[in-house]
Structures are given as C-alpha cells and as structure tokens.
C-alpha cells in the first residue's frame, strides 16, 4: 500500500537523521577533544622551549620533568627526551637582524630557510599557530624579549597533527560504516516496527468496506419506503428530508469505501492509457458550472487543448472533480473560481483550481489533507461534505505518481496537482 510505503520511508528517513545527528555529535566531540589535547601538548613543549630562551631544557637523570611540563605523564621520562623534539629558534633584534640561530635540533631547514620563515612569522600578527611546509606540520611561537627584539621558535609537530588527522579519518569511516550498518539492520527490521500500524490500518479498511456494504441494504430499504410513501400520500417535507439524508449517507458510504480501496491499490494495478488531459479537466470543470452560476459566482478557465498523457482516467477525473467540488463549496459569495492547466516539463502537466477565500489568512493548511478534517467555517450544516474529499485527492494523486499542494496568497487559495 502506498501509504505504508510512505510511512516506512519516513520512518527510515527520521531514523537516518537521528543516527547521523548522534554520531556526528559524538564523533565531533571526541575529535574536538583529541585536537584540543594535541594542541595543549604541543603548546606545552613550545612554551617550555620559549621559557628556556629558545633551547629545549635538558633532563637531568633522577629529576622530574614536572618543573617545566604541566602535563608530563604522556612523555618518556628519559634523558633522550630533549633530543626527540625537532625545532629551531631564532632571536631577532629590533631591526630584524639575527642575534642567534639554533638549528642543531632540526634538519628540514637550512640557515637561509629558517631565517626567512622566522622573519615572516615575526612580521605577522599571530603570536602562536600552525603552518604547513610541504607535507610537514609546524607550530610556532613569536615572543617579545625584555631586552628588545623577538624570539621565534618553530617546532615540528607532524606526528602529532598526523595522528589527529588519521584519527579523524578513521572515525569518519567508522561513523559511515555504523550508519550504513544501522540503516541496513533497521531496513530489515522496519517492517516489524510498523507492523501493528499496518495491521490496525488493514482492520480499519476491512471494517469500513464491510460496514459500508452492510449499510447499503437498510439505506436502500429506507429510500424505497420513502419513495413509496410519496406515491401513496404525495410529497411532504418529511419524505423530502428522508430522501435528502439518505443521499447524504449513501454518498458518505461510497466515499469511505473508495478511500479504503485507494489505500489498497498499487501502482501496478492501475489501468494506465493515453488520456486527453485537456478534455478530462474541461469536463470536470464544466460539470460544476451550473452550481457556480446558481450561487452567483464567476468561473474562469484557462485550459489549452491537446495535452495528452498516459495515466488512469478514472482516478484523474476523480481528482479534478474533488478539487472543483471543494472550490465551489468554499469560494466566497460572489467570488471567482479559476481553473488552469499547463504542461510541466517534457512529459508532465499541472492542473490548478483556485478560489477566493478572504478568511484564509492564518489558517494551518497542513491539516487540509487529513481525513475528516474540516475548517472552523465548515462546521455547520450549510456546507455539505465530511472532510474526506481532499484526503481522497491526495491518495489518488500519490497513487498516480504525482504531488498535490495548497497555497494561500492575497485572498486566494489554490490547490494544484503536478504529474
């Protein structure tokens, strides 16, 4: 059933959005913490070098690194530690002339390259940061000296940055794999999740269909008896009222049965054939012309000829009929009903029915296609109907592979179907 398929798709879509949000938040938080931890560790080393005037403090055997490292537990507490960090430092005077250049702990730069990078960083606005040089990553610090000039320290942090980037890549792949696995499992189990709804809906439709057929017999007997009374005693307000109510109930029963059958129909079961859309729409519009004229309303049409498309003529005419019936009922007194037909793309078309509706501002139109929904203005005996028509139109439109929309603008409400 089309409704069940739409429900299943919506269920899977919402589940997909939920798991993406959860995983994105969790992995984003983990990656953010990992990145901040890496920056903190790198800045700790960089600060230690800066505080020692551009030289990595040497570790003395038997002493602790806690005197110059705020977070020492992740380092190897050995005499070799000072030689594991790759960096260079440059002291520049006020005129950007070199006072001291230390390249003993790095081999990626020569004196000219190191001096060029140091002067570029010293002339910049940032005092700390990261930069890339080819495929390597470096962090830097530019610190003013009390005796004048600046101390520039550049430290290799390629391994630290690479580890974080690798962790991000793997976590992204892990997240995508989790999403795919989750959706695969959910897709297989989704039928079990919506099974109670499906069974409940099927029971409702069976009840409506069976009850509708059972009610037709007593309704037919009541109608026959009322007509017999008219033949015997002549017409009266009592028999007229009985026959009027019989017609209303009969119409309700037929609409309920048709609505139930629409939900059970599948697209493969439709009898599609080439249909003259222009003539079908024109017939539906003209069928309501006497009603519109009797209520002193205007009918304006713009229906070009020759639009032929392959579809099911029965359901298409029913859609047009419902839209015209709705417009005729709820158009303002003395208002105008407009029916338009136009091509849409290479093989599609769009049919629209609009009517004046001055009280339509502020109305929640999202409920208009719900079954048995009727606006506040229609909760009286002056408006015939049961709030089923637009729901039937939506079901039939989706069954034919189209979309139905409603919009309100400048006192005019427009219902349109696009195929």
């Amino acid at each position: 059933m089309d409704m069940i398929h739409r429900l299943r798709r919506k269920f899977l879509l919402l589940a997909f959005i939920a798991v993406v949000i959860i995983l994105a938040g969790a992995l984003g938080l983990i990656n953010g913490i990992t990145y901040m931890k890496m920056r903190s560790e790198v800045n700790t080393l960089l600060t230690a070098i800066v505080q020692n005037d551009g030289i990595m403090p040497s570790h003395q055997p038997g002493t602790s690194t806690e005197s110059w490292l705020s977070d020492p537990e992740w380092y190897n507490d050995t005499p070799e530690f000072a030689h594991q960090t790759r960096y260079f430092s440059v002291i520049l005077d006020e005129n950007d002339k070199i006072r001291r250049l230390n390249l003993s702990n790095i081999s990626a730069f020569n004196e000219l390259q190191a001096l060029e990078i140091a002067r570029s960083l010293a002339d910049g606005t940032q005092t700390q940061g990261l930069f890339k040089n080819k495929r390597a990553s470096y962090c830097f610090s530019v610190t003013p000296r009390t005796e004048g000039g600046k101390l520039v320290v550049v430290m290799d942090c390629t391994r630290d940055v690479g580890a974080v980037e690798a962790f991000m890549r793997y976590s992204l792949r892990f997240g995508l794999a989790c999403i795919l696995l989750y959706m695969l499992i959910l897709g297989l189990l989704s039928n079990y999740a919506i099974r109670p709804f499906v069974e409940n809906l099927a029971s409702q439709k069976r009840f409506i269909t069976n009850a509708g057929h059972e009610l037709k017999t007593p309704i037919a007997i009541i109608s026959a008896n009322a007509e017999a009374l008219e033949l015997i005693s002549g017409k009266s307000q009592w028999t007229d009222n009985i026959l009027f109510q019989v017609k209303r109930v009969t119409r309700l029963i037929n609409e309920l049965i048709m609505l139930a059958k629409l939900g059970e129909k599948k697209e493969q079961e439709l009898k599609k054939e080439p249909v003259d859309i222009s003539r079908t729409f024109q017939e539906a519009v003209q069928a309501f012309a006497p009603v519109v004229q009797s209520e002193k309303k205007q009918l304006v049409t713009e229906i070009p000829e020759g639009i032929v498309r392959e579809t099911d003529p029965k359901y298409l005419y029913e859609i047009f009929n419902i839209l015209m019936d709705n417009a005729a009922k709820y158009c303002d007194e003395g208002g105008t009903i407009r029916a338009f037909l136009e091509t849409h793309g290479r093989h599609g078309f769009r049919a629209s029915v609009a009517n004046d509706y001055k009280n339509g501002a502020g109305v929640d139109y999202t409920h208009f296609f719900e079954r048995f929904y009727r606006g506040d203005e229609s909760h009286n005996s002056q408006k015939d109907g049961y709030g089923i028509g637009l729901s039937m139109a939506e079901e039939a439109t989706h069954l034919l592979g189209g979309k139905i929309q409603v919009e309100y603008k400048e006192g005019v409400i427009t219902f349109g179907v696009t195929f």
Side-chain angles (χ1 to χ4, degrees):
M1 293 181 287
D2 189 56
M3 180 184 294
I4 301 303
H5 292 323
R6 296 204 306 271
L7 176 65
R8 186 171 182 268
R9 287 195 297 268
K10 185 176 292 186
F11 174 75
L12 292 174
L13 176 62
L14 292 176
F16 173 77
I17 293 173
V19 73
V20 167
I21 292 174
I22 293 173
L23 276 175
L27 294 179
L29 181 62
I30 294 172
N31 280 284
I33 293 174
T34 303
Y35 178 79
M36 291 173 62
K37 179 70 174 176
M38 180 273 293
R39 287 298 302 267
S40 175
E41 293 171 350
V42 167
N43 288 337
T44 298
L45 283 177
L46 196 62
T47 301
I49 298 173
V50 171
Q51 291 176 349
N52 202 45
D53 202 29
I55 304 296
M56 171 66 74
S58 297
H59 173 69
Q60 301 297 325
T63 63
S64 173
T65 58
E66 292 184 5
S67 60
W68 55 276
L69 288 178
S70 60
D71 189 17
E73 65 272 11
W74 58 278
Y75 298 103
N76 291 321
D77 193 10
T78 69
E80 300 297 328
F81 174 72
H83 304 286
Q84 295 174 1
T85 305
R86 317 308 300 167
Y87 72 95
F88 73 85
S89 61
V90 180
I91 297 178
L92 302 172
D93 63 14
E94 294 84 350
N95 299 318
D96 275 354
K97 291 184 178 180
I98 184 171
R99 284 188 179 180
R100 190 186 74 196
L101 174 61
N102 176 23
L103 285 175
S104 60
N105 295 87
I106 199 167
S107 58
F109 303 99
N110 56 36
E111 291 186 6
L112 183 61
Q113 292 172 332
L115 186 58
E116 182 181 355
I117 291 174
R119 284 174 174 166
S120 174
L121 295 175
D123 294 337
T125 58
Q126 287 185 300
T127 58
Q128 280 191 341
L130 290 171
F131 70 90
K132 287 276 189 179
N133 184 40
K134 297 180 181 178
R135 298 179 62 181
S137 299
Y138 298 90
C139 61
F140 68 89
S141 174
V142 180
T143 309
R145 307 184 77 227
T146 55
E147 60 268 29
K150 295 179 179 179
L151 169 64
V152 179
V153 178
V154 175
M155 187 177 73
D156 186 356
C157 57
T158 303
R159 288 186 177 181
D160 303 275
V161 173
V164 172
E165 290 178 347
F167 181 78
M168 290 181 177
R169 288 195 299 270
Y170 287 124
S171 65
L172 178 61
R173 294 171 185 172
F174 173 77
L176 292 175
C178 287
I179 292 174
L180 292 175
L181 183 61
Y182 174 79
M183 293 306 298
L184 178 62
I185 296 174
L186 189 64
L188 296 174
L189 300 179
S190 60
N191 289 330
Y192 294 96
I194 64 174
R195 178 178 292 178
F197 176 83
V198 174
E199 293 176 349
N200 183 48
L201 186 62
S203 299
Q204 289 182 22
K205 290 179 178 179
R206 283 196 301 270
F207 171 78
I208 291 173
T209 303
N210 295 336
H213 288 298
E214 291 297 327
L215 286 171
K216 282 185 176 182
T217 299
I219 292 298
I221 294 173
I222 293 172
S223 177
N225 290 339
E227 291 174 355
L229 286 175
E230 282 189 341
L231 292 175
I232 297 172
S233 306
K235 286 188 177 183
S236 66
Q237 63 176 1
W238 308 109
T239 56
D240 286 343
N241 187 49
I242 291 172
L243 291 174
F244 175 75
Q245 296 301 333
V246 164
K247 289 179 181 178
R248 290 191 66 194
V249 174
T250 301
R251 182 182 175 187
L252 172 60
I253 293 171
N254 291 333
E255 287 182 348
L256 286 172
I257 293 174
M258 184 174 182
L259 188 59
K261 289 181 177 180
L262 274 174
E264 296 173 352
K265 271 281 186 180
K266 296 182 180 179
E267 188 175 351
Q268 295 85 349
E269 299 173 359
L270 296 175
K271 297 180 180 179
K272 290 189 175 183
E273 58 186 60
V275 178
D276 190 332
I277 309 298
S278 303
R279 184 167 62 84
T280 303
F281 192 35
Q282 186 70 43
E283 290 175 355
V285 171
Q286 292 304 317
F288 285 88
V291 178
V292 173
Q293 293 173 1
S294 66
E295 296 180 358
K296 298 181 180 179
K297 300 173 184 177
Q298 304 296 319
L299 180 60
V300 178
T301 63
E302 187 175 322
I303 305 175
E305 296 181 354
I307 299 179
V308 179
R309 300 290 185 268
E310 189 172 281
T311 185
D312 188 301
K314 176 184 175 183
Y315 288 111
L316 184 65
Y317 181 83
E318 188 64 30
I319 294 169
F320 294 156
N321 186 72
I322 291 171
L323 295 184
M324 283 301 303
D325 179 57
N326 186 75
K329 285 178 184 175
Y330 298 107
C331 181
D332 295 335
E333 293 185 9
T336 302
I337 298 173
R338 305 166 184 84
F340 301 96
L341 180 65
E342 58 185 350
T343 57
H344 180 75
R346 294 182 60 185
H347 305 290
F349 66 91
R350 175 178 172 81
S352 304
V353 178
N355 61 273
D356 294 336
Y357 187 43
K358 62 183 179 182
N359 296 324
V363 176
D364 186 3
Y365 292 98
T366 59
H367 296 292
F368 270 47
F369 299 107
E370 294 179 2
R371 296 180 181 184
F372 308 106
Y373 175 82
R374 303 183 71 190
D376 292 338
E377 183 184 351
S378 64
H379 280 298
N380 56 68
S381 59
Q382 296 178 358
K383 302 292 185 182
D384 189 21
Y386 305 93
I388 305 177
L390 291 176
S391 178
M392 292 173 59
E394 184 189 34
E395 289 278 353
T397 302
H398 282 297
L399 186 62
L400 295 178
K403 294 190 301 183
I404 186 168
Q405 296 172 314
V406 57
E407 62 177 354
Y408 181 82
K409 186 178 181 181
E410 298 179 356
V412 177
I413 184 171
T414 304
F415 289 90
V417 288
T418 305
F419 295 93

